[in-house]
């Protein structure tokens, strides 16, 4: 042995991510061993900038074989295996102390597996990646390979270093899943003795592809085979079974599993969270709240369990707020929403519920101060969410104020254009539209529609007609163009006969304009009223349009009733009584 720690990797076509991975380990490794399995890009060139131990290996559809070849090239006492799309967060001295002052021969380490582009969306799973360089520690399994360790007493658990697995886009993930299913299916033919484990992994791939029946069949088989000597696999199978049943709409069966397995794994926070979600879907909000409270009280589960980050705090707190809000417990709902926002300011969904609770007690101006003073909307995503809420509340002028703060470098966007438009600032909206149109790929449907509406609000019907005809040239935008052209012609005193194939989009487009006009603000109310009435006239010309318009206003009335119910609990029966005609 010539050092303490080897970093080992197998790679193929990883030029986009390899450098960041190697940067994260360069200072802590005594050697870096990289095995390339057939890259056609600059992967090998990048690797050679970090190490001279770069090897070629003929790919054989066997991940374990490739990893074991890499292990054979390692010369240090310990090996830490990474993938190119992973990063290691570790202090050199802390890591070296961990592996020098121990009798353990391997360590389970926490891996953050990101499930979305948002930094707070990840699962935490324990992975055995750090082990002594001993001949009997080798990978097994052609795919979803694991280090084979017979004596689990030699395995330790450490909450550092943390491995972070980068988020990959949907197309890339789906391609990998299909590849994995092919390899696993072949492996199942050759290794019937490992059927439970292979079907568990097959279930994971089918679940990721949204094929819930196939996934359920695999997980059900694994569930019946695993016992508590396979805690990691069995507990993960339980959660996956619950997920399949939820997606298939079998909520009662999912709940039965939650109730049974929380007794088996009382420290597994995520099962209580899953049970709460199932009860929410069954509209059992009072009981659901008790399950979410249990999840929040249980805290972060041991590393042996696959864990969704946030079930121990902000996710459960958000759902608690939602349950309390539906149950009419508005003050308690606000408290839970605020706890969720405090626990994770990058998780903005509680902001919507908190706004709806507080808007019954505070003005929109007061709410802006309330959210900003508490730091709930410091990031761009939070500001955009607050802008949407202010617009929905009929204050586009305040949405402009929030989303165009002078201290920020404000980029033009279709949302901000909409806020300027419906606050009556047509000139600023046009200026921003022109700026957006000069930016490559930014002249999208929403921007084109906003430009036409701006012309209509300024009563420049000729300009609006010309822009509609230009939009009509693009076949994919033809239906939207016809809807706006129908509105333009009606404002000019003419009717446009719209064929049935374009009517669904026309209905959707005109209802959206009506809704946006209803949320306008400022000294141009007569303009917005005129446009909205014109939209209503067009929709009233044909049966489907009339039905859609009626459904829209019924929905708006329900929204008003809900707001009244929240604001005036003490007289909640008043408007119901009048509506009933008694």
């Amino acid at each position: 042995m010539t050092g303490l720690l080897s970093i080992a990797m197998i790679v193929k076509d990883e030029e986009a991510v390899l450098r960041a991975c190697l940067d994260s380990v360069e200072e802590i490794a005594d050697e870096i061993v990289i095995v390339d399995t057939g890259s056609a890009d600059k992967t090998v060139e990048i690797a050679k900038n970090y190490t001279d131990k770069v090897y070629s290996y003929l790919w054989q559809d066997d991940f374990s074989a490739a990893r074991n070849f890499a292990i054979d090239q390692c010369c240090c006492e310990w090996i830490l295996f990474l993938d190119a799309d992973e990063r290691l967060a570790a202090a050199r001295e802390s890591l070296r102390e961990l592996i020098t002052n121990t009798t353990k021969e391997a360590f389970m380490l926490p891996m953050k597996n990101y499930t979305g582009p948002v930094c707070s969306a990840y699962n935490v799973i324990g992975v055995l990646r750090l082990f002594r360089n001993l001949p009997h520690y080798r990978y097994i399994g052609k795919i979803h390979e694991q280090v084979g360790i017979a004596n689990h007493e030699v395995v330790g658990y450490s909450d550092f270093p943390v491995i972070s697995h980068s988020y990959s886009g949907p197309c890339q993930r789906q391609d990998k899943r299909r590849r994995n299913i092919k390899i696993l299916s072949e492996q199942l033919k050759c290794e019937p003795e490992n059927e439970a484990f292979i079907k568990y992994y097959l279930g994971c791939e089918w679940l990721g592809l949204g094929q819930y029946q196939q996934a359920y069949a695999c997980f059900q088989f694994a569930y019946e085979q695993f016992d508590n000597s396979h805690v990691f696999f069995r507990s993960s199978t339980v959660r996956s079974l619950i997920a399949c049943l939820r997606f298939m709409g079998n909520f009662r069966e999912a709940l039965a599993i939650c109730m049974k397995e929380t007794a088996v794994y009382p420290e597994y926070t995520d099962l209580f969270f899953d049970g709460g979600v199932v009860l929410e879907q069954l509209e059992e909000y009072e009981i659901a709240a008790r399950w979410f409270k249990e999840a929040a009280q249980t805290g972060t589960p041991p590393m042996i369990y696959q864990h969704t980050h946030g079930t121990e705090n902000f996710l459960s707190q958000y759902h608690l707020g939602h349950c309390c809000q539906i149950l009419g417990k508005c003050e308690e709902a606000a408290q839970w929403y605020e706890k969720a926002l405090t626990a994770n300011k990058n998780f903005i969904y509680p902001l919507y519920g908190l706004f709806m609770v507080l808007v019954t007690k505070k003005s929109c101006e007061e709410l802006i101060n309330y959210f900003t003073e508490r730091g709930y909307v410091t990031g761009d995503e939070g500001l955009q969410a607050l802008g949407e809420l202010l617009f929905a509340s009929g204050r586009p002028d305040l949405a402009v104020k929030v989303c165009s703060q002078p201290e920020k470098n404000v980029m033009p966007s279709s949302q901000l254009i909409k806020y300027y438009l419906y606050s009556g600032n047509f000139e600023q909206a046009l200026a921003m539209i022109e700026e957006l149109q000069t930016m490559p790929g930014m002249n999208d449907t929403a921007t084109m529609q906003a430009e036409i509406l701006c012309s209509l609000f300024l009563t420049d019907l000729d300009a609006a007609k010309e822009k509609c005809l230009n939009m009509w040239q693009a076949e994919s935008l033809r239906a939207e163009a016809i809807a706006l052209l129908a509105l333009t012609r009606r404002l000019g005193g003419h009717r446009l006969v719209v064929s049935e194939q374009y009517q669904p989009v026309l209905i959707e487009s005109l209802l959206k304009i009506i809704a946006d006009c209803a949320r306008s603000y400022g000294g141009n109310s007569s303009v917005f009223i005129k446009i909205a009435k014109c939209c209503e006239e067009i929709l009233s010309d044909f049966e489907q349009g009339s039905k859609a318009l009626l459904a829209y206003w019924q929905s708006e009335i329900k929204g008003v009733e809900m707001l009244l119910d929240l604001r005036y609990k003490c007289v909640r029966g008043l408007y119901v009584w009048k509506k009933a005609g008694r």
Side-chain angles (χ1 to χ4, degrees), residues 81 96 108 141 145 162 214 227 292 295 300 305 371 460 505 539 544 567:
F81 228 109
R96 298 180 86 82
M108 295 282 286
E145 61 284 4
V162 177
Q214 291 96 319
D227 57 32
F292 289 127
T300 304
Y305 302 114
F371 288 131
D460 190 348
V505 175
L539 290 170
Q544 291 304 316
R567 191 184 292 269

Side-chain angles (χ1 to χ4, degrees), residues 226-241:
F226 290 142
D227 57 32
N228 279 328
S229 65
H230 305 104
V231 175
F232 171 81
F233 287 100
R234 189 181 183 280
S235 60
S236 181
T237 300
V238 168
R239 283 205 78 195
S240 299
L241 265 180

Side-chain angles (χ1 to χ4, degrees), residues 13 21 43 61 103 110 142 147 187 227 288-289 340 344 348 377 395 418 431-432 439 453 483 489 548:
D13 294 332
C21 177
T43 294
D61 272 353
T103 59
K142 289 188 174 183
V147 178
Q187 185 179 354
D227 57 32
N344 185 352
I348 66 166
V377 288
R395 292 303 301 269
K418 181 174 75 171
M432 187 162 281
M439 300 167 66
L453 284 169
R489 288 184 60 79

Side-chain angles (χ1 to χ4, degrees), residues 2 6 94 107 109 177 185 198 220 232 249 254 302 318 321 345 433-434 462 464 511 519 530 548 573 580:
T2 59
S6 299
S94 297
F107 282 97
L109 303 178
R177 292 189 190 285
S185 298
I198 295 171
Q220 184 63 34
F232 171 81
Y318 164 63
K345 289 183 170 57
I433 288 168
E434 290 171 4
D462 290 337
L511 285 178
R519 287 158 179 79
K530 181 180 179 181

Side-chain angles (χ1 to χ4, degrees), residues 19-79:
R19 186 175 283 105
C21 177
L22 294 174
D23 284 342
S24 74
V25 299
E26 188 176 20
E27 296 298 322
I28 66 169
D30 294 298
E31 73 169 357
I32 299 175
V33 174
I34 298 178
V35 172
D36 182 75
T37 61
S39 294
D41 61 4
K42 295 181 179 179
T43 294
V44 172
E45 179 183 333
I46 294 169
K48 287 181 177 179
N49 290 328
Y50 291 84
T51 178
D52 58 357
K53 303 196 75 170
V54 180
Y55 304 89
S56 294
Y57 180 83
L58 181 63
W59 179 245
Q60 302 169 25
D61 272 353
D62 188 331
F63 283 91
S64 285
R67 290 190 188 275
N68 292 334
F69 176 80
I71 291 173
D72 291 340
Q73 317 312 313
C74 293
C75 298
C76 294
E77 294 179 38
W78 286 79
I79 297 170

Side-chain angles (χ1 to χ4, degrees), residues 39-245:
S39 294
D41 61 4
K42 295 181 179 179
T43 294
V44 172
E45 179 183 333
I46 294 169
K48 287 181 177 179
N49 290 328
Y50 291 84
T51 178
D52 58 357
K53 303 196 75 170
V54 180
Y55 304 89
S56 294
Y57 180 83
L58 181 63
W59 179 245
Q60 302 169 25
D61 272 353
D62 188 331
F63 283 91
S64 285
R67 290 190 188 275
N68 292 334
F69 176 80
I71 291 173
D72 291 340
Q73 317 312 313
C74 293
C75 298
C76 294
E77 294 179 38
W78 286 79
I79 297 170
L80 199 162
F81 228 109
L82 289 177
D83 292 336
D85 56 354
E86 295 171 350
R87 312 286 180 270
L88 190 72
R92 175 182 170 85
E93 295 308 317
S94 297
L95 177 55
R96 298 180 86 82
E97 184 179 352
L98 173 69
I99 57 181
T100 52
N101 298 324
T102 183
T103 59
K104 299 295 184 181
E105 296 185 0
F107 282 97
M108 295 282 286
L109 303 178
M111 175 188 279
K112 291 182 178 180
N113 187 18
Y114 286 88
T115 56
V118 180
C119 63
S120 60
Y122 61 85
N123 295 327
V124 179
I125 183 172
V127 290
L128 201 157
R129 295 290 194 87
L130 181 61
F131 50 93
R132 290 187 185 273
N133 190 355
L134 298 172
H136 50 284
Y137 290 154
R138 291 296 184 269
Y139 279 91
I140 55 175
K142 289 188 174 183
I143 194 167
H144 291 298
E145 61 284 4
Q146 303 284 332
V147 178
I149 295 183
N151 180 10
H152 291 283
E153 290 184 3
V154 303
V155 179
Y157 294 84
S158 177
D159 57 6
F160 72 92
V162 177
I163 302 170
S164 294
H165 191 285
S166 304
Y167 172 72
S168 56
C171 293
Q172 185 180 357
R173 292 201 309 276
Q174 302 302 67
D175 289 343
K176 285 185 177 180
R177 292 189 190 285
R178 294 186 184 95
R179 176 206 65 187
N180 293 352
I181 286 172
K182 180 181 176 182
I183 297 174
L184 286 165
S185 298
E186 290 300 316
Q187 185 179 354
L188 186 58
K189 297 175 185 176
C190 303
E191 303 176 23
E193 69 278 10
N194 292 322
E195 185 175 5
F197 295 98
I198 295 171
K199 283 196 171 178
Y200 164 80
Y201 285 120
L202 274 169
C204 293
E205 304 299 351
W206 285 122
L207 182 58
L209 288 170
Q211 301 296 320
Y212 305 122
Q213 291 285 355
Q214 291 96 319
Y216 176 78
C218 291
F219 287 129
Q220 184 63 34
F221 179 87
Y223 181 60
E224 292 170 355
Q225 300 300 312
F226 290 142
D227 57 32
N228 279 328
S229 65
H230 305 104
V231 175
F232 171 81
F233 287 100
R234 189 181 183 280
S235 60
S236 181
T237 300
V238 168
R239 283 205 78 195
S240 299
L241 265 180
I242 294 166
C244 289
L245 290 166

Side-chain angles (χ1 to χ4, degrees), residues 236-260:
S236 181
T237 300
V238 168
R239 283 205 78 195
S240 299
L241 265 180
I242 294 166
C244 289
L245 290 166
R246 282 182 51 223
F247 287 125
M248 292 189 298
N250 298 338
F251 302 126
R252 296 291 178 188
E253 189 176 347
L255 182 59
I257 293 177
C258 288
M259 295 175 70
K260 175 184 176 183

